[in-house]
Amino acid sequence: MLDTHELGRRPGSMRRVDLTVPAPEDLGTDVIGVPTGADLELDLRLEAVMEGVLVSGTARARAVGECVRCLDEVVENVDVTVSELFVHPGRAAAAQEDGDDEEELPELDGDLVDVEPLVRDAVVTALPFKPLCRVDCPGLCSLCGARLADDPEHQHDTIDPRWAALGGLQSTLDEKRES
Protein backbone atom coordinates (compact mmCIF):
# COMPACT_ATOMS: atom_id res chain seq x y z
CA MET A 1 0.00 0.00 0.00
CA LEU A 2 1.37 3.38 -1.01
CA ASP A 3 0.14 6.67 0.41
CA THR A 4 -0.88 9.28 -2.18
CA HIS A 5 -2.07 11.95 0.28
CA GLU A 6 0.68 14.44 -0.55
CA LEU A 7 -0.29 14.32 -4.25
CA GLY A 8 -3.71 15.62 -3.40
CA ARG A 9 -6.15 15.95 -6.24
CA ARG A 10 -3.99 18.38 -8.18
CA PRO A 11 -3.46 16.94 -11.67
CA GLY A 12 0.17 17.13 -12.66
CA SER A 13 1.70 16.57 -9.24
CA MET A 14 4.13 13.66 -9.13
CA ARG A 15 6.11 11.64 -6.62
CA ARG A 16 8.76 8.95 -7.09
CA VAL A 17 8.85 5.88 -4.87
CA ASP A 18 11.92 3.62 -4.72
CA LEU A 19 11.59 0.85 -2.21
CA THR A 20 12.43 -2.77 -1.59
CA VAL A 21 9.65 -4.89 -0.12
CA PRO A 22 9.38 -8.59 0.74
CA ALA A 23 7.70 -10.61 -2.01
CA PRO A 24 4.17 -11.79 -1.18
CA GLU A 25 3.19 -15.46 -1.11
CA ASP A 26 2.53 -17.32 -4.37
CA LEU A 27 4.24 -14.79 -6.65
CA GLY A 28 4.75 -17.19 -9.54
CA THR A 29 3.60 -20.47 -11.03
CA ASP A 30 4.02 -24.11 -10.00
CA VAL A 31 7.45 -24.40 -11.68
CA ILE A 32 8.98 -20.94 -11.08
CA GLY A 33 8.32 -17.97 -8.84
CA VAL A 34 9.73 -15.33 -6.55
CA PRO A 35 10.30 -16.92 -3.12
CA THR A 36 8.09 -15.56 -0.34
CA GLY A 37 9.92 -12.80 1.51
CA ALA A 38 12.61 -12.34 -1.18
CA ASP A 39 13.50 -8.78 -2.18
CA LEU A 40 11.12 -7.16 -4.64
CA GLU A 41 12.47 -3.82 -5.85
CA LEU A 42 9.92 -1.22 -6.90
CA ASP A 43 10.82 1.94 -8.78
CA LEU A 44 7.48 3.68 -9.19
CA ARG A 45 6.15 7.05 -10.22
CA LEU A 46 2.83 8.25 -8.78
CA GLU A 47 1.14 10.95 -10.85
CA ALA A 48 -2.08 12.74 -10.00
CA VAL A 49 -4.46 12.92 -12.96
CA MET A 50 -8.08 14.07 -13.24
CA GLU A 51 -9.49 10.57 -12.74
CA GLY A 52 -7.16 9.49 -9.92
CA VAL A 53 -3.54 8.40 -9.63
CA LEU A 54 -1.46 6.86 -12.42
CA VAL A 55 1.12 4.39 -11.07
CA SER A 56 3.91 3.48 -13.50
CA GLY A 57 7.47 2.19 -13.25
CA THR A 58 9.35 -1.06 -12.88
CA ALA A 59 9.45 -4.06 -10.56
CA ARG A 60 12.53 -6.27 -10.25
CA ALA A 61 12.95 -9.60 -8.53
CA ARG A 62 14.82 -12.89 -8.73
CA ALA A 63 12.65 -15.91 -9.55
CA VAL A 64 13.70 -19.44 -8.61
CA GLY A 65 12.28 -22.64 -10.05
CA GLU A 66 13.21 -25.87 -11.73
CA CYS A 67 14.06 -26.80 -15.28
CA VAL A 68 11.15 -28.62 -16.91
CA ARG A 69 13.55 -31.03 -18.64
CA CYS A 70 16.14 -32.00 -16.02
CA LEU A 71 14.65 -30.61 -12.77
CA ASP A 72 17.81 -28.60 -11.94
CA GLU A 73 17.41 -25.23 -10.27
CA VAL A 74 16.70 -22.28 -12.55
CA VAL A 75 17.25 -18.67 -11.48
CA GLU A 76 15.73 -15.91 -13.63
CA ASN A 77 16.01 -12.16 -13.12
CA VAL A 78 12.62 -10.56 -13.67
CA ASP A 79 12.44 -6.90 -14.67
CA VAL A 80 8.94 -5.77 -15.66
CA THR A 81 7.21 -2.51 -16.48
CA VAL A 82 4.00 -1.73 -14.62
CA SER A 83 1.34 0.86 -15.32
CA GLU A 84 -2.15 1.23 -13.90
CA LEU A 85 -4.66 4.01 -13.31
CA PHE A 86 -6.26 3.99 -9.86
CA VAL A 87 -9.44 6.07 -9.89
CA HIS A 88 -10.84 8.18 -7.07
CA PRO A 89 -13.72 6.48 -5.22
CA GLY A 90 -16.96 7.01 -7.11
CA ARG A 91 -15.29 7.81 -10.45
CA ALA A 92 -15.46 4.20 -11.64
CA ALA A 93 -19.20 4.06 -10.92
CA ALA A 94 -19.72 7.39 -12.72
CA ALA A 95 -17.77 6.16 -15.76
CA GLN A 96 -19.91 3.03 -15.96
CA GLU A 97 -23.12 5.09 -15.69
CA ASP A 98 -21.87 7.22 -18.61
CA GLY A 99 -21.78 4.07 -20.72
CA ASP A 100 -18.05 3.33 -20.65
CA ASP A 101 -17.72 -0.39 -21.35
CA GLU A 102 -14.04 -0.49 -20.44
CA GLU A 103 -12.89 -2.97 -17.84
CA GLU A 104 -13.36 -1.95 -14.24
CA LEU A 105 -10.52 0.23 -12.96
CA PRO A 106 -9.11 -0.27 -9.48
CA GLU A 107 -10.08 2.38 -6.96
CA LEU A 108 -8.02 4.26 -4.44
CA ASP A 109 -8.72 3.24 -0.86
CA GLY A 110 -8.95 6.75 0.54
CA ASP A 111 -5.44 8.02 -0.17
CA LEU A 112 -3.92 4.54 -0.40
CA VAL A 113 -2.99 2.57 -3.51
CA ASP A 114 -2.66 -1.24 -3.32
CA VAL A 115 0.02 -2.03 -5.92
CA GLU A 116 0.29 -5.76 -5.07
CA PRO A 117 -2.23 -6.94 -7.73
CA LEU A 118 -0.54 -4.70 -10.32
CA VAL A 119 2.93 -6.07 -9.53
CA ARG A 120 1.65 -9.65 -9.24
CA ASP A 121 0.02 -9.54 -12.69
CA ALA A 122 3.14 -8.08 -14.32
CA VAL A 123 5.65 -10.43 -12.65
CA VAL A 124 3.69 -13.67 -13.10
CA THR A 125 3.00 -13.03 -16.79
CA ALA A 126 6.70 -12.24 -17.37
CA LEU A 127 7.88 -15.58 -15.95
CA PRO A 128 8.77 -18.31 -18.45
CA PHE A 129 6.00 -20.87 -19.00
CA LYS A 130 8.55 -23.68 -19.33
CA PRO A 131 11.76 -22.62 -17.57
CA LEU A 132 14.99 -24.23 -18.78
CA CYS A 133 18.42 -24.34 -17.10
CA ARG A 134 19.86 -23.76 -20.57
CA VAL A 135 18.37 -23.67 -24.06
CA ASP A 136 19.95 -26.95 -25.17
CA CYS A 137 19.19 -28.91 -21.97
CA PRO A 138 18.92 -32.59 -22.99
CA GLY A 139 16.81 -33.49 -19.95
CA LEU A 140 16.59 -36.88 -18.29
CA CYS A 141 16.74 -40.41 -19.74
CA SER A 142 13.18 -41.63 -20.18
CA LEU A 143 14.15 -45.16 -19.13
CA CYS A 144 16.35 -44.71 -16.06
CA GLY A 145 16.14 -40.99 -15.16
CA ALA A 146 19.87 -40.27 -15.59
CA ARG A 147 20.83 -36.65 -16.36
CA LEU A 148 21.81 -36.67 -20.04
CA ALA A 149 23.94 -33.53 -19.60
CA ASP A 150 26.25 -35.49 -17.25
CA ASP A 151 26.70 -38.37 -19.71
CA PRO A 152 26.12 -37.34 -23.35
CA GLU A 153 26.92 -40.89 -24.55
CA HIS A 154 24.22 -42.42 -22.30
CA GLN A 155 22.11 -45.03 -24.06
CA HIS A 156 20.31 -48.31 -23.50
CA ASP A 157 20.41 -51.32 -25.80
CA THR A 158 16.74 -51.96 -26.16
CA ILE A 159 14.93 -53.82 -28.86
CA ASP A 160 11.73 -52.42 -30.20
CA PRO A 161 9.03 -54.81 -28.89
CA ARG A 162 7.60 -55.06 -32.40
CA TRP A 163 10.86 -56.66 -33.56
CA ALA A 164 11.46 -58.79 -30.45
CA ALA A 165 9.55 -61.76 -31.88
CA LEU A 166 11.82 -61.74 -34.95
CA GLY A 167 14.83 -61.84 -32.63
CA GLY A 168 13.42 -65.03 -31.12
CA LEU A 169 13.01 -66.56 -34.59
CA GLN A 170 16.61 -65.66 -35.45
CA SER A 171 17.95 -67.53 -32.42
CA THR A 172 15.82 -70.59 -33.33
CA LEU A 173 17.20 -70.55 -36.87
CA ASP A 174 20.78 -70.23 -35.55
CA GLU A 175 20.24 -73.30 -33.30
CA LYS A 176 18.88 -75.39 -36.20
CA ARG A 177 21.88 -74.51 -38.39
CA GLU A 178 24.33 -75.57 -35.65
CA SER A 179 22.70 -78.96 -35.21
Side-chain angles (χ1 to χ4, degrees):
M1 296 291 256
L2 300 176
D3 189 3
T4 64
H5 178 72
E6 62 188 54
L7 290 177
R9 291 196 175 207
R10 296 180 314 267
S13 57
M14 192 266 297
R15 182 177 129 220
R16 292 195 75 81
V17 177
D18 292 321
L19 62 136
T20 301
V21 296
E25 288 185 30
D26 300 326
L27 186 57
T29 63
D30 290 338
V31 290
I32 190 166
V34 178
T36 303
D39 286 347
L40 179 61
E41 298 173 22
L42 301 174
D43 180 14
L44 302 174
R45 183 173 153 163
L46 308 175
E47 296 177 78
V49 294
M50 289 297 290
E51 297 82 12
V53 176
L54 176 65
V55 177
S56 58
T58 59
R60 284 180 289 293
R62 181 174 218 121
V64 179
E66 58 186 27
C67 177
V68 294
R69 292 184 188 161
C70 70
L71 306 179
D72 275 357
E73 183 178 69
V74 173
V75 177
E76 292 269 338
N77 290 321
V78 181
D79 191 351
V80 294
T81 302
V82 295
S83 182
E84 183 79 64
L85 175 63
F86 292 84
V87 295
H88 293 294
R91 294 268 181 158
Q96 286 183 346
E97 287 176 11
D98 290 341
D100 266 346
D101 289 336
E102 293 182 26
E103 65 182 67
E104 190 173 319
L105 296 173
E107 285 190 2
L108 290 163
D109 183 13
D111 287 333
L112 299 176
V113 172
D114 183 9
V115 295
E116 182 181 332
L118 168 66
V119 171
R120 179 179 298 281
D121 290 347
V123 169
V124 172
T125 56
L127 293 172
F129 184 66
K130 294 182 178 182
L132 297 173
C133 59
R134 62 179 211 244
V135 177
D136 63 341
C137 175
L140 303 174
C141 174
S142 61
L143 296 176
C144 68
R147 281 190 80 239
L148 298 176
D150 294 340
D151 183 11
E153 303 300 319
H154 181 82
Q155 63 181 0
H156 295 274
D157 292 330
T158 57
I159 298 175
D160 187 330
R162 295 171 290 184
W163 296 102
L166 290 176
L169 285 174
Q170 181 66 40
S171 62
T172 306
L173 288 174
D174 290 342
E175 288 175 13
K176 286 183 179 179
R177 285 187 190 153
E178 289 177 4
S179 40

